[in-house]
Protein backbone atom coordinates (compact mmCIF):
# COMPACT_ATOMS: atom_id res chain seq x y z
CA UNK A 1 0.00 0.00 0.00
CA UNK A 2 1.45 3.33 -1.04
CA UNK A 3 0.77 6.69 0.64
CA UNK A 4 -2.38 8.12 -0.96
CA UNK A 5 -0.94 11.53 -1.68
CA UNK A 6 1.45 10.20 -4.36
CA UNK A 7 -1.21 8.34 -6.37
CA UNK A 8 -1.36 10.90 -9.16
CA UNK A 9 2.42 11.29 -9.38
CA UNK A 10 3.03 7.89 -10.97
CA UNK A 11 1.84 6.85 -14.42
CA UNK A 12 2.25 3.20 -13.53
CA UNK A 13 3.70 0.80 -10.99
CA UNK A 14 6.48 -0.92 -12.90
CA UNK A 15 7.59 -3.42 -10.26
CA UNK A 16 5.50 -4.30 -7.25
CA UNK A 17 6.66 -4.82 -3.70
CA UNK A 18 5.95 -8.53 -4.07
CA UNK A 19 7.97 -8.80 -7.31
CA UNK A 20 10.93 -7.05 -5.66
CA UNK A 21 10.74 -9.34 -2.66
CA UNK A 22 10.59 -12.49 -4.80
CA UNK A 23 13.45 -11.39 -7.06
CA UNK A 24 15.69 -10.43 -4.13
CA UNK A 25 15.07 -13.89 -2.67
CA UNK A 26 16.18 -15.54 -5.95
CA UNK A 27 19.27 -13.34 -6.13
CA UNK A 28 20.09 -14.10 -2.51
CA UNK A 29 20.03 -17.86 -3.13
CA UNK A 30 22.55 -17.34 -5.94
CA UNK A 31 24.77 -15.11 -3.81
CA UNK A 32 24.71 -17.67 -0.97
CA UNK A 33 25.96 -20.36 -3.38
CA UNK A 34 28.61 -18.13 -4.94
CA UNK A 35 30.02 -16.94 -1.61
CA UNK A 36 29.59 -20.15 0.39
CA UNK A 37 32.27 -20.41 3.05
CA UNK A 38 33.76 -17.00 2.33
CA UNK A 39 33.53 -13.58 3.91
CA UNK A 40 31.29 -11.04 2.19
CA UNK A 41 31.32 -7.27 2.48
CA UNK A 42 28.30 -5.46 1.05
CA UNK A 43 29.09 -1.93 -0.11
CA UNK A 44 25.95 0.16 -0.51
CA UNK A 45 25.91 3.33 -2.57
CA UNK A 46 23.99 6.06 -0.78
CA UNK A 47 21.28 7.04 -0.84
CA UNK A 48 19.41 5.06 -3.47
CA UNK A 49 20.62 1.63 -2.41
CA UNK A 50 19.34 1.88 1.16
CA UNK A 51 16.20 -0.21 0.57
CA UNK A 52 17.80 -2.89 -1.58
CA UNK A 53 20.71 -3.16 0.89
CA UNK A 54 18.37 -3.54 3.86
CA UNK A 55 16.19 -6.16 2.20
CA UNK A 56 18.99 -8.08 0.47
CA UNK A 57 21.12 -8.23 3.62
CA UNK A 58 18.21 -9.59 5.66
CA UNK A 59 17.24 -12.09 2.97
CA UNK A 60 20.78 -13.51 2.79
CA UNK A 61 21.42 -16.59 4.89
CA UNK A 62 25.07 -15.67 5.02
CA UNK A 63 27.06 -13.59 7.48
CA UNK A 64 27.85 -10.22 5.93
CA UNK A 65 29.34 -6.92 6.92
CA UNK A 66 28.01 -3.70 5.45
CA UNK A 67 29.60 -0.41 4.60
CA UNK A 68 28.48 2.66 2.68
CA UNK A 69 29.78 5.16 0.18
CA UNK A 70 28.26 8.36 -1.07
CA UNK A 71 29.33 9.74 -4.42
CA UNK A 72 28.17 12.61 -6.53
CA UNK A 73 28.24 12.50 -10.27
CA UNK A 74 28.82 15.81 -12.01
CA UNK A 75 26.72 16.38 -15.07
CA UNK A 76 24.24 18.64 -16.72
CA UNK A 77 20.73 18.14 -15.37
CA UNK A 78 19.81 14.47 -15.14
CA UNK A 79 22.67 13.27 -17.34
CA UNK A 80 25.55 11.54 -15.59
CA UNK A 81 28.99 12.64 -16.78
CA UNK A 82 31.16 9.95 -15.28
CA UNK A 83 33.13 12.57 -13.34
CA UNK A 84 32.62 11.43 -9.79
CA UNK A 85 33.46 12.89 -6.40
CA UNK A 86 33.48 10.89 -3.17
CA UNK A 87 31.25 12.54 -0.57
CA UNK A 88 31.59 9.77 1.99
CA UNK A 89 34.21 7.07 1.74
CA UNK A 90 34.19 3.58 3.20
CA UNK A 91 35.32 2.97 6.78
CA UNK A 92 36.51 -0.51 5.77
CA UNK A 93 39.90 -1.56 4.43
CA UNK A 94 39.12 -3.59 1.29
CA UNK A 95 42.38 -5.50 1.04
CA UNK A 96 41.70 -9.21 0.81
CA UNK A 97 37.93 -8.77 1.13
CA UNK A 98 35.18 -10.16 -1.09
CA UNK A 99 33.26 -7.04 -2.04
CA UNK A 100 29.77 -6.89 -3.47
CA UNK A 101 28.68 -3.41 -4.53
CA UNK A 102 24.95 -2.96 -3.96
CA UNK A 103 23.27 -0.43 -6.26
CA UNK A 104 19.73 0.72 -6.89
CA UNK A 105 19.94 1.32 -10.63
CA UNK A 106 22.40 1.33 -13.50
CA UNK A 107 21.54 3.95 -16.07
CA UNK A 108 24.48 5.08 -18.24
CA UNK A 109 26.77 3.01 -16.03
CA UNK A 110 29.29 5.86 -15.81
CA UNK A 111 29.09 6.33 -12.05
CA UNK A 112 29.43 2.65 -11.32
CA UNK A 113 32.28 2.08 -13.74
CA UNK A 114 34.21 4.87 -12.00
CA UNK A 115 33.40 3.41 -8.60
CA UNK A 116 34.42 -0.06 -9.67
CA UNK A 117 37.80 1.17 -10.94
CA UNK A 118 38.33 3.13 -7.73
CA UNK A 119 37.53 0.20 -5.41
CA UNK A 120 39.65 -2.20 -7.47
CA UNK A 121 42.76 -0.17 -6.64
CA UNK A 122 42.24 -0.96 -2.94
CA UNK A 123 43.22 -4.62 -3.29
CA UNK A 124 40.01 -6.57 -2.70
CA UNK A 125 40.17 -10.35 -3.16
CA UNK A 126 37.13 -10.05 -5.43
CA UNK A 127 34.66 -7.39 -6.45
CA UNK A 128 31.23 -7.85 -8.05
CA UNK A 129 28.10 -5.80 -8.57
CA UNK A 130 24.51 -6.37 -7.55
CA UNK A 131 21.92 -3.92 -8.88
CA UNK A 132 18.17 -4.06 -8.49
CA UNK A 133 17.48 -2.27 -11.79
CA UNK A 134 19.26 -1.69 -15.06
CA UNK A 135 18.27 0.29 -18.16
CA UNK A 136 19.96 -1.58 -21.02
CA UNK A 137 18.98 1.08 -23.58
CA UNK A 138 20.75 3.82 -21.62
CA UNK A 139 24.11 2.05 -21.24
CA UNK A 140 27.12 4.11 -22.29
CA UNK A 141 29.76 1.80 -20.89
CA UNK A 142 29.88 -1.95 -20.65
CA UNK A 143 29.90 -3.14 -17.06
CA UNK A 144 29.94 -6.74 -15.99
CA UNK A 145 27.09 -6.90 -13.49
CA UNK A 146 26.85 -10.27 -11.81
CA UNK A 147 23.46 -9.91 -10.14
CA UNK A 148 20.64 -7.95 -11.80
CA UNK A 149 17.12 -7.72 -10.46
CA UNK A 150 15.20 -6.34 -13.41
CA UNK A 151 15.96 -4.80 -16.78
CA UNK A 152 13.62 -1.86 -17.27
CA UNK A 153 12.76 0.58 -20.08
CA UNK A 154 14.62 3.85 -20.42
CA UNK A 155 12.14 5.83 -18.29
CA UNK A 156 12.66 7.83 -15.10
CA UNK A 157 11.57 5.69 -12.17
CA UNK A 158 11.13 6.39 -8.46
CA UNK A 159 10.46 4.42 -5.31
CA UNK A 160 12.20 1.74 -3.28
CA UNK A 161 15.10 4.09 -2.57
CA UNK A 162 15.02 6.00 -5.85
CA UNK A 163 14.14 9.68 -5.63
CA UNK A 164 13.04 12.65 -7.60
CA UNK A 165 14.13 15.78 -5.73
CA UNK A 166 14.67 13.58 -2.64
CA UNK A 167 11.04 12.47 -2.65
CA UNK A 168 9.43 9.05 -3.26
CA UNK A 169 12.28 7.04 -1.74
CA UNK A 170 9.94 5.40 0.75
CA UNK A 171 7.53 3.95 -1.81
CA UNK A 172 7.45 0.18 -1.51
CA UNK A 173 7.29 -0.40 -5.26
CA UNK A 174 9.07 1.07 -8.28
CA UNK A 175 6.96 3.30 -10.51
CA UNK A 176 7.29 5.58 -13.49
CA UNK A 177 7.13 9.23 -12.50
CA UNK A 178 4.41 11.17 -14.30
CA UNK A 179 5.86 13.89 -16.55
CA UNK A 180 3.65 16.56 -14.95
CA UNK A 181 5.65 16.17 -11.73
CA UNK A 182 8.94 17.31 -13.29
CA UNK A 183 7.72 19.51 -16.11
CA UNK A 184 5.78 22.02 -14.04
CA UNK A 185 6.30 25.56 -15.30
CA UNK A 186 6.84 28.26 -12.70
CA UNK A 187 3.78 30.43 -12.21
CA UNK A 188 4.17 33.95 -13.63
CA UNK A 189 4.92 36.63 -11.03
CA UNK A 190 1.95 38.86 -10.32
P1 LIG B 1 24.60 6.49 -14.16
O1 LIG B 1 25.99 6.98 -13.87
O2 LIG B 1 24.51 4.97 -14.27
O3 LIG B 1 24.02 7.14 -15.37
O4 LIG B 1 23.71 7.02 -12.98
C1 LIG B 1 23.34 6.24 -11.93
C2 LIG B 1 22.61 7.05 -10.88
O5 LIG B 1 21.69 7.99 -11.46
C3 LIG B 1 21.77 6.11 -10.04
O6 LIG B 1 22.51 5.58 -8.97
C4 LIG B 1 20.63 7.00 -9.63
O7 LIG B 1 20.99 7.73 -8.49
C5 LIG B 1 20.45 7.96 -10.79
N1 LIG B 1 19.40 7.47 -11.72
C6 LIG B 1 19.57 6.92 -12.94
N2 LIG B 1 18.39 6.58 -13.50
C7 LIG B 1 17.45 6.92 -12.60
C8 LIG B 1 16.01 6.81 -12.58
O8 LIG B 1 15.34 6.32 -13.50
N3 LIG B 1 15.38 7.28 -11.47
C9 LIG B 1 16.05 7.81 -10.41
N4 LIG B 1 15.32 8.21 -9.38
N5 LIG B 1 17.39 7.93 -10.38
C10 LIG B 1 18.09 7.48 -11.47
MG1 LIG C 1 22.67 4.57 -7.02
MG1 LIG D 1 18.74 10.69 -7.08
Amino acid sequence: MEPRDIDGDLTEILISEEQIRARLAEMSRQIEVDYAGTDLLLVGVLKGAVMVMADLARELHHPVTMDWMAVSSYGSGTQSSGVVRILKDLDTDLSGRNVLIVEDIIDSGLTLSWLLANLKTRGPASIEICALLRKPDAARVDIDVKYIGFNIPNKFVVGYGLDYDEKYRNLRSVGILAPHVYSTVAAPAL
Side-chain angles (χ1 to χ4, degrees), residues 69-112:
M69 270 186 98
V71 295
S72 90
S73 178
Y74 291 110
S76 54
T78 56
Q79 290 297 101
S80 174
S81 65
V83 181
V84 178
R85 189 165 55 112
I86 295 177
L87 302 176
K88 185 230 171 283
D89 208 337
L90 299 171
D91 301 323
T92 312
D93 178 359
L94 296 191
S95 53
R97 304 297 302 273
N98 294 306
V99 175
L100 183 59
I101 301 174
V102 178
E103 258 288 25
D104 50 356
I105 189 166
I106 304 174
D107 187 17
S108 70
L110 290 168
T111 308
L112 196 51

Side-chain angles (χ1 to χ4, degrees), residues 24-40 56 59-64 98 100 126 128 146-147:
L24 286 180
E26 289 174 353
M27 294 160 77
S28 296
R29 300 297 83 78
Q30 190 59 53
I31 292 168
E32 288 159 9
V33 171
D34 294 347
Y35 290 90
T38 70
D39 104 283
L40 178 55
L56 181 78
E59 180 62 36
L60 279 171
H61 304 294
H62 187 98
V64 299
N98 294 306
L100 183 59
S126 71
E128 299 290 351
K146 191 156 186 186
Y147 310 99

